[in-house]
Amino acid sequence: MLRTTMLSLLCLTSSFALAESAGSPVDISGDIRTGFFSSDREDRDGSQNTTDEFRLRLRVGLGGELTDTLSAKVRAAGRYSTDDRNHNHFEFFSSIPSDDGLRRGDSTIDELYLNYRPSKQWQVRVGRMQTKFELEGVAKKSLDRNDSPNTDITWTDGVYVKYQAGNGWGVHGIVQYNPQAGATQVRRSPLAFTEEGSRASYFVALENKQQWGPVVQRGIDVTYLPDALRVDGNVTGRIDDYWAVVGRMAARWPLGNSGMKFMLAGELGYAPNRPTALAVRTDTSGRADGLAGQLTFNFIDIVPKHSVGIVLGRAGDGYLLSPDFRSNTNLLEARYQWKIAKKQSFEARLRHREDIDRQNGAAEDRVDVDYYLRYTYKF
């Protein structure tokens, strides 16, 4: 994998050099995201733990037009923390994301792709890329696809095809490669990719963000992961396909004459094939819960550039796809956002998460209360 990535990077860098010599501009872009993060946990065994840390995520990319229809981009990304539990494993290229993205302290190439755009309607992207289908709002979250939220680093390896119709509807298709060592996105246990049939997974979406009355977003997605579900929670048990369907909608209304707007948005997901409850340790019989959802209340531009959002969310113990909602967890979140300038923003978050079902043998439900103060600069 390292050798392939380095060879691809060398080829793409050579292409940029040729493009620049031919007079095509090569652009440098990226972002810096940093902040203070604090978390208090009351764990299932009755213990308590508090973590305070400063985090930094740095992403720097190089992109440019190779021809009139072909462009390319490469970007390096690193994630760092002052939490001393994360030192002694600084690696580049060799690690894959865990439950919340690339480990703190590690760096990688999170974009390395060619983009072919023969017309305004069609787009084809091949390589390593960022893909996301979020619910609109102050705190943008997703039940199925959201690469690199917050300070996380995740990515999609594969082929992405988009067709944009003139009526506002876009059709999206993704064929994604999953390494045997684990997915490059958040895919929660007991999903695994050790079976040969799980190397490729599939995603199809239909979405419209063109305003229709008060409605500003409509969409439906299907994710299909062949041979990825360990139904009984182990490698010797049953293996099945895992798939989920997600629908989302957002509507916005003006409030008064000051420019303030209210947005109500919701997303609902369901996974028909689930692991057993025993596999996810929430019961001793039956199947886990495959239902997930979020409902958000957004007050946009309370005063110019200042917005507040409230998120209510939950993901059942058998819903295993969301990068923003842990399985078997209820969530309540408040988010404040200040758009300082076009390329600068400040956000503050307060979040409460709690187990829906108590795990087998646990003395208590797990409860997490965390907050952050976060600044982002794009260039």
Side-chain angles (χ1 to χ4, degrees):
M1 183 66 181
L2 174 58
R3 185 176 300 174
T4 302
T5 304
M6 292 300 292
L7 182 60
S8 301
L9 183 59
L10 179 60
C11 292
L12 196 56
T13 304
S14 300
S15 298
F16 284 138
L18 290 173
E20 191 168 22
S21 65
S24 299
V26 177
D27 298 323
I28 298 176
S29 62
D31 59 75
I32 300 169
R33 176 166 284 177
T34 186
F36 178 75
F37 293 73
S38 180
S39 176
D40 291 298
R41 167 170 290 181
E42 297 178 11
D43 220 335
R44 298 181 181 112
D45 60 0
S47 63
Q48 294 186 339
N49 181 55
T50 298
T51 302
D52 295 323
E53 61 180 312
F54 288 93
R55 292 187 199 168
L56 170 68
R57 186 185 70 184
L58 176 62
R59 304 188 296 190
V60 180
L62 190 66
E65 304 290 330
L66 304 181
T67 69
D68 291 340
T69 58
L70 188 65
S71 61
K73 185 176 180 181
V74 57
R75 186 173 72 180
R79 190 184 190 204
Y80 314 102
S81 168
T82 59
D83 186 346
D84 59 10
R85 293 175 300 177
N86 295 296
H87 70 277
N88 296 330
H89 66 75
F90 287 89
E91 296 179 359
F92 195 75
F93 288 127
S94 58
S95 60
I96 61 171
S98 58
D99 285 346
D100 66 344
L102 198 69
R103 299 181 308 179
R104 295 168 181 81
D106 290 352
S107 305
T108 193
I109 298 294
D110 74 336
E111 288 186 317
L112 181 66
Y113 64 78
L114 292 173
N115 190 73
Y116 177 61
R117 194 165 196 139
S119 66
K120 291 183 179 180
Q121 288 77 35
W122 285 98
Q123 176 184 357
V124 180
R125 184 169 291 182
V126 180
R128 177 166 294 185
M129 67 198 80
Q130 297 289 301
T131 59
K132 55 182 61 188
F133 288 80
E134 305 164 305
L135 183 65
E136 290 295 307
V138 176
K140 293 185 177 182
K141 296 180 182 293
S142 175
L143 290 179
D144 57 4
R145 199 167 200 93
N146 186 13
D147 283 340
S148 304
N150 197 5
T151 61
D152 302 351
I153 297 174
T154 59
W155 59 87
T156 300
D157 289 331
V159 180
Y160 167 61
V161 179
K162 177 183 177 181
Y163 174 74
Q164 185 66 48
N167 59 3
W169 285 98
V171 183
H172 309 259
I174 297 172
V175 179
Q176 181 171 348
Y177 172 74
N178 303 298
Q180 185 174 0
T184 59
Q185 297 169 316
V186 175
R187 297 288 185 253
R188 303 188 186 277
S189 178
L191 291 178
F193 298 91
T194 54
E195 299 295 314
E196 192 63 30
S198 66
R199 291 286 78 74
S201 57
Y202 308 91
F203 175 85
V204 178
L206 185 65
E207 187 173 52
N208 192 331
K209 292 186 178 181
Q210 183 172 295
Q211 189 162 352
W212 180 52
V215 177
V216 295
Q217 183 185 28
R218 294 163 280 166
I220 185 169
D221 321 326
V222 177
T223 301
Y224 178 57
L225 308 173
D227 293 341
L229 176 63
R230 292 179 176 177
V231 178
D232 303 304
N234 57 67
V235 69
T236 59
R238 291 168 290 175
I239 303 295
D240 203 349
D241 302 339
Y242 189 84
W243 66 282
V245 59
V246 173
R248 63 180 65 86
M249 180 175 288
R252 185 177 63 211
W253 298 268
L255 292 179
N257 299 318
S258 64
M260 179 178 171
K261 297 171 285 292
F262 172 70
M263 178 184 290
L264 178 66
E267 188 176 35
L268 189 65
Y270 181 69
N273 290 357
R274 288 102 61 197
T276 63
L278 183 60
V280 293
R281 299 185 297 171
T282 54
D283 206 340
T284 56
S285 63
R287 294 281 180 144
D289 178 8
L291 187 65
Q294 61 167 319
L295 183 65
T296 74
F297 306 87
N298 305 274
F299 300 88
I300 302 168
D301 290 332
I302 298 175
V303 295
K305 301 182 179 181
H306 296 263
S307 303
V308 172
I310 304 293
V311 181
L312 302 175
R314 62 97 67 191
D317 52 353
Y319 193 86
L320 311 173
L321 291 179
S322 177
D324 298 305
F325 298 92
R326 285 192 323 222
S327 302
N328 190 39
T329 302
N330 284 320
L331 175 147
L332 172 61
E333 178 179 323
R335 184 84 65 95
Y336 162 72
Q337 182 183 81
W338 174 23
K339 294 184 178 179
I340 303 170
K342 185 178 180 179
K343 297 184 177 182
Q344 297 183 70
S345 64
F346 171 82
E347 291 193 4
R349 179 180 77 183
L350 177 62
R351 181 175 64 179
H352 178 279
R353 293 183 291 180
E354 185 170 358
D355 286 347
I356 298 173
D357 296 315
R358 183 165 297 181
Q359 284 205 345
N360 297 339
E364 300 178 7
D365 293 335
R366 174 179 286 174
V367 178
D368 289 319
V369 178
D370 63 84
Y371 72 89
Y372 68 57
L373 305 172
R374 191 185 76 188
Y375 170 78
T376 304
Y377 175 75
K378 298 180 180 180
F379 56 90

